[in-house]
Amino acid sequence: MTEAPRYLGSGTLEAGPSALTGTPPSHLPSRLTISLWDFSWYTRAEDGGPYADLDAACAQAAKLGYNTIRICSAPLLLFGGLGLDHLATDLEIEGLGQAPDGGIYGRGTRWYDVPGGYRLNLRERLLELFDAAARHGFVVILASWEYQQSTVFARSPEWFDAIDSVPLADRYRMLADAWDRLINALTAAGHRNRIAMVELHNEVDFSILPALADGGSGQLHRLRSLHPDLLVTASYGKPPHLAMHTVPGGLGAAHSMSTATVCWMRCSSRSTSVPKARRTFPTRPCVPCCAPMRRRLKSTDAWPTGSTAALW
């Protein structure tokens, strides 16, 4: 005879939508199961690579139970107004170089196992990704890794040089402007309802950016005012869970990454299998950071429940 699950407190029980601090946008599922594709969707698109066929990659993710893809959508390259249109439409991808044994550096390492040796039109590829996402019922979280790793995999240094030449104090403004143009382009292509969330940048605390409170919060507010129907936020690499009062108010959603964990108001405690790496990254409730973050969000801000992120 199977025993009933042991009661471990009301906080462990599944809550309905009425428990949210705000109502999620109507175009989103009540629960986001997130597959993290970062920049790999364009840096591992070589022949036979895991993202060479975006439709097949979406089909595989859907089969595994995901409904959301999180990507670096390279807003500064595509819509930053930095004179990089020639790269946006003809980007040559290269890896970290050839190792002395004839292989490539980065082998067996998530993100960095890039053989390179091909070119792509990233502006067109972004629309192709959204088209594939629509066919398979996905929504997409838009982020940027450009002040982290993305530019490393471009053969030309122009992308990095262009964004690095922007003064620190102007970088959040430039990001907000680029996001506005990118969102408008996706809207014109009929994909606005595919946007699950927009992150000003991935891991703002581990990027070549000022602290979010030093100009980023104001630009985030401005982007939210331009697109009030969308969730707009920023991602933390190391949430200040012992000093959550330092997090600027007004984030559209709380989002932090910890290996393979997205911290929402209520976090999933499941383990998520990662077939590509053949290992399991457990997701766990982030009690220290979630509760204080709840107090920092406005009561009208949405926070989907039980979201799970996985790397594959």
Side-chain angles (χ1 to χ4, degrees):
M1 188 175 81
T2 303
E3 295 184 5
R6 182 179 177 83
Y7 176 72
L8 297 175
S10 61
T12 65
L13 300 179
E14 186 70 22
S18 61
L20 298 174
T21 57
T23 304
S26 59
H27 66 284
L28 293 184
S30 60
R31 181 187 297 271
L32 302 182
T33 50
I34 306 169
S35 181
L36 175 60
W37 289 15
D38 49 78
F39 38 80
S40 300
W41 69 280
Y42 57 85
T43 62
R44 290 301 317 275
E46 72 279 1
D47 288 344
Y51 300 99
D53 185 334
L54 291 174
D55 197 76
C58 284
Q60 182 187 16
K63 185 177 180 180
L64 293 171
Y66 296 107
N67 64 14
T68 308
I69 299 166
R70 180 171 178 254
I71 63 167
C72 170
S73 48
L76 297 181
L77 173 63
L78 301 185
F79 295 97
L82 295 170
L84 297 174
D85 286 352
H86 60 294
L87 284 183
T89 56
D90 185 24
L91 182 66
E92 185 174 2
I93 301 297
E94 71 170 1
L96 300 181
Q98 190 171 22
D101 63 1
I104 61 169
Y105 285 113
R107 282 170 294 174
T109 306
R110 179 67 172 90
W111 296 305
Y112 302 113
D113 55 345
V114 175
Y118 63 93
R119 314 176 83 97
L120 51 77
N121 183 327
L122 191 53
R123 188 166 286 156
E124 288 184 356
R125 189 170 176 81
L126 179 64
L127 294 180
E128 291 169 4
L129 172 62
F130 268 79
D131 289 341
R135 287 192 293 272
H136 294 276
F138 279 89
V139 291
V140 182
I141 295 176
L142 300 173
S144 172
W145 271 254
E146 289 167 287
Y147 277 113
Q148 291 179 302
Q149 301 104 315
S150 298
T151 63
V152 171
F153 302 104
R155 183 171 182 80
S156 169
E158 291 180 79
W159 185 4
F160 173 78
D161 290 344
I163 67 173
D164 192 51
S165 68
V166 177
L168 273 173
D170 295 334
R171 293 182 180 182
Y172 281 121
R173 176 194 54 76
M174 178 180 60
L175 277 164
D177 289 343
W179 280 124
D180 179 44
R181 289 188 284 265
L182 188 149
I183 292 168
N184 289 336
L186 289 174
T187 301
H191 288 306
R192 191 177 188 89
N193 281 349
R194 289 284 141 209
I195 301 174
M197 185 165 63
V198 178
E199 299 172 25
L200 204 57
H201 200 277
N202 179 64
E203 297 180 343
V204 292
D205 48 336
F206 290 109
S207 302
I208 313 174
L209 292 165
L212 190 61
D214 297 335
S217 180
Q219 293 301 324
L220 192 151
H221 277 268
R222 181 168 69 89
L223 188 59
R224 286 189 68 185
S225 70
L226 292 171
H227 303 280
D229 56 318
L230 300 178
L231 293 176
V232 179
T233 190
S235 162
Y236 277 89
K238 182 181 179 181
H241 58 272
L242 297 180
M244 294 301 285
H245 63 282
T246 63
V247 176
L251 300 180
H255 181 192
S256 65
M257 290 300 296
S258 175
T259 306
T261 304
V262 169
C263 277
W264 296 92
M265 186 63 68
R266 290 177 48 79
C267 299
S268 171
S269 57
R270 302 183 189 88
S271 291
T272 302
S273 177
V274 187
K276 180 183 174 187
R278 287 186 169 80
R279 65 181 67 182
T280 298
F281 294 89
T283 60
R284 60 188 183 278
C286 297
V287 177
C289 58
C290 286
M293 180 70 89
R294 183 175 192 143
R295 294 192 291 270
R296 294 294 296 159
L297 289 176
K298 298 178 181 178
S299 61
T300 57
D301 289 332
W303 202 321
T305 62
S307 295
T308 303
L311 306 178
W312 67 265

Coordinates of all heavy atoms in Angstrom, one line a residue, residues 42 77 86-93 118-122 153-156 159:
Y42 N 23.6 30.1 -31.6 CA 24.3 30.6 -32.8 C 25.7 30.2 -32.8 O 26.4 30.3 -33.9 CB 24.0 32.1 -33.0 CG 24.5 33.0 -31.9 CD1 25.8 33.5 -31.8 CD2 23.5 33.5 -31.1 CE1 26.1 34.4 -30.8 CE2 23.9 34.4 -30.1 CZ 25.2 34.8 -29.9 OH 25.5 35.7 -29.0
L77 N 24.6 43.8 -31.0 CA 25.0 43.5 -32.3 C 23.9 43.8 -33.4 O 24.2 44.4 -34.4 CB 25.4 42.1 -32.4 CG 25.8 41.5 -33.8 CD1 27.0 42.3 -34.4 CD2 26.0 40.0 -33.8
H86 N 27.0 45.0 -40.8 CA 27.7 44.0 -41.7 C 28.0 42.7 -41.0 O 28.0 41.6 -41.5 CB 29.0 44.6 -42.3 CG 30.0 45.0 -41.2 ND1 29.7 46.0 -40.3 CD2 31.2 44.5 -40.9 CE1 30.8 46.2 -39.5 NE2 31.7 45.3 -39.9
L87 N 28.3 42.8 -39.6 CA 28.5 41.6 -38.8 C 27.2 40.9 -38.5 O 27.1 39.7 -38.4 CB 29.2 41.9 -37.5 CG 30.7 42.2 -37.6 CD1 31.3 42.5 -36.2 CD2 31.5 41.1 -38.3
A88 N 26.1 41.7 -38.2 CA 24.8 41.1 -37.9 C 24.3 40.2 -39.0 O 23.6 39.3 -38.7 CB 23.8 42.3 -37.6
T89 N 24.6 40.6 -40.2 CA 24.1 39.8 -41.4 C 25.2 38.8 -41.9 O 24.8 38.0 -42.8 CB 23.7 40.7 -42.5 OG1 24.7 41.6 -42.9 CG2 22.5 41.6 -42.0
D90 N 26.4 38.9 -41.4 CA 27.4 38.0 -41.9 C 28.5 37.8 -40.8 O 29.6 38.3 -40.9 CB 28.1 38.5 -43.2 CG 29.1 37.6 -43.8 OD1 29.0 36.3 -43.5 OD2 30.0 38.0 -44.5
L91 N 28.1 37.0 -39.8 CA 28.9 36.8 -38.6 C 29.6 35.5 -38.7 O 29.1 34.4 -38.8 CB 28.0 36.8 -37.3 CG 28.7 36.6 -36.0 CD1 29.6 37.8 -35.7 CD2 27.7 36.4 -34.9
E92 N 31.0 35.6 -38.7 CA 31.8 34.4 -38.7 C 32.1 33.9 -37.3 O 32.6 34.7 -36.5 CB 33.1 34.6 -39.5 CG 33.9 33.4 -39.6 CD 35.2 33.6 -40.5 OE1 35.4 34.7 -40.9 OE2 35.9 32.6 -40.7
I93 N 31.8 32.7 -37.0 CA 31.9 32.1 -35.7 C 33.2 31.3 -35.7 O 33.6 30.5 -36.6 CB 30.8 31.1 -35.4 CG1 29.4 31.9 -35.4 CG2 31.0 30.5 -34.0 CD1 29.3 33.0 -34.4
Y118 N 32.2 28.7 -39.5 CA 31.0 28.9 -40.4 C 30.5 30.3 -40.2 O 31.0 31.0 -39.2 CB 29.9 27.9 -40.0 CG 29.3 28.0 -38.7 CD1 28.2 28.9 -38.4 CD2 29.9 27.3 -37.6 CE1 27.7 29.0 -37.1 CE2 29.4 27.5 -36.3 CZ 28.3 28.3 -36.0 OH 27.8 28.4 -34.8
R119 N 29.7 30.8 -41.1 CA 29.1 32.1 -41.0 C 27.6 32.0 -41.0 O 27.0 31.1 -41.4 CB 29.5 32.9 -42.3 CG 31.0 32.8 -42.6 CD 31.3 33.6 -43.9 NE 31.5 35.0 -43.6 CZ 32.7 35.5 -43.5 NH1 33.8 34.8 -43.6 NH2 32.9 36.8 -43.3
L120 N 27.0 33.1 -40.4 CA 25.5 33.1 -40.4 C 25.0 34.5 -40.3 O 25.7 35.5 -40.0 CB 25.0 32.3 -39.2 CG 25.5 32.6 -37.8 CD1 24.9 33.8 -37.2 CD2 25.2 31.4 -36.9
N121 N 23.8 34.7 -40.7 CA 23.1 35.9 -40.7 C 22.3 35.9 -39.4 O 21.2 35.3 -39.3 CB 22.1 36.1 -41.9 CG 21.4 37.5 -41.9 OD1 21.1 38.0 -40.8 ND2 21.2 38.0 -43.1
L122 N 22.8 36.5 -38.3 CA 22.1 36.4 -37.0 C 20.8 37.1 -36.9 O 19.9 36.7 -36.2 CB 23.1 36.9 -35.9 CG 22.7 36.6 -34.5 CD1 22.4 35.1 -34.3 CD2 23.8 37.1 -33.5
F153 N 33.3 34.6 -29.4 CA 33.1 33.5 -30.5 C 33.0 34.1 -31.9 O 32.7 33.4 -32.8 CB 31.9 32.6 -30.1 CG 32.1 32.0 -28.8 CD1 31.4 32.4 -27.7 CD2 33.0 30.9 -28.6 CE1 31.5 31.8 -26.5 CE2 33.2 30.3 -27.4 CZ 32.4 30.7 -26.3
A154 N 33.1 35.5 -32.0 CA 33.1 36.1 -33.3 C 34.6 36.2 -33.7 O 35.4 36.6 -33.0 CB 32.5 37.5 -33.2
R155 N 34.8 35.8 -35.0 CA 36.2 35.8 -35.5 C 36.7 37.3 -35.5 O 37.8 37.6 -35.2 CB 36.2 35.2 -36.9 CG 37.7 35.2 -37.5 CD 37.7 34.4 -38.7 NE 39.1 34.3 -39.2 CZ 40.0 33.5 -38.8 NH1 39.7 32.6 -37.8 NH2 41.2 33.5 -39.3
S156 N 35.8 38.2 -35.9 CA 36.2 39.6 -35.9 C 36.1 40.2 -34.5 O 35.1 40.0 -33.8 CB 35.3 40.4 -36.9 OG 35.5 41.8 -36.7
W159 N 32.9 43.5 -32.9 CA 31.7 43.4 -32.0 C 32.2 43.9 -30.6 O 31.6 44.8 -30.0 CB 31.1 42.0 -32.1 CG 29.9 41.8 -31.3 CD1 29.1 42.7 -30.6 CD2 29.2 40.6 -31.1 NE1 28.0 42.1 -30.0 CE2 28.1 40.8 -30.3 CE3 29.5 39.3 -31.6 CZ2 27.2 39.8 -30.0 CZ3 28.6 38.3 -31.3 CH2 27.5 38.5 -30.5

